[in-house]
Amino acid sequence: MNSQIPLPNTRIKNHRHAESVMANRALKKEQIQQKRANIEQSIEISFKIIVNVGISFLAIFSIKQLLPYHLAQQEKLAEIDGEIAKIQPRVEKLQENFSTTFDPKLTRKVMEKNSYKVDPNLSPIFFIKQK
């Protein structure tokens, strides 16, 4: 008779054992999920590092290629600035003369200055050397 009726103490032990087995399974399942998440994160971080290293390499390569071109352009710019400095006085002189050239009141003076023609009302004067 005793063998057919389970003891209350045995039932509690079986129940505790089942709970601990379930807890161990849940813990192992959680550990596996955490491990999988860690692996995914490490793969993602590795991929990000590889991409950033690639971008850095391309940036350095581009700068290496563009630096000589930039220096050549700076030399050309300095040369052009030197030529501008040489021409600047001439430009200033021409700007001063520009207003007189297109002034309608000064057309006779400009014409006399730039050509051999003179005002018809004036008579030419010739200087003769005395012997």
Side-chain angles (χ1 to χ4, degrees), residues 76-108:
K76 288 180 183 179
L77 187 62
E79 183 180 331
I80 290 171
D81 285 341
E83 290 179 15
I84 288 174
K86 287 180 190 175
I87 296 174
Q88 191 66 30
R90 181 176 174 224
V91 170
E92 289 172 357
K93 182 180 175 186
L94 288 173
Q95 285 176 343
E96 289 174 9
N97 293 337
F98 182 77
S99 60
T100 60
T101 304
F102 288 101
D103 189 2
K105 296 176 185 175
L106 300 174
T107 23
R108 286 187 185 208

Side-chain angles (χ1 to χ4, degrees), residues 48-67:
K48 285 180 181 180
I49 289 172
I50 290 170
V51 168
N52 286 331
V53 166
I55 290 171
S56 299
F57 176 74
L58 287 175
I60 291 169
F61 182 73
S62 298
I63 289 172
K64 181 185 170 195
Q65 293 293 322
L66 290 175
L67 191 60

Side-chain angles (χ1 to χ4, degrees), residues 35-53:
K35 188 175 181 180
R36 185 175 291 147
N38 288 342
I39 290 172
E40 288 174 357
Q41 282 182 341
S42 64
I43 290 172
E44 180 182 352
I45 290 171
S46 300
F47 182 71
K48 285 180 181 180
I49 289 172
I50 290 170
V51 168
N52 286 331
V53 166

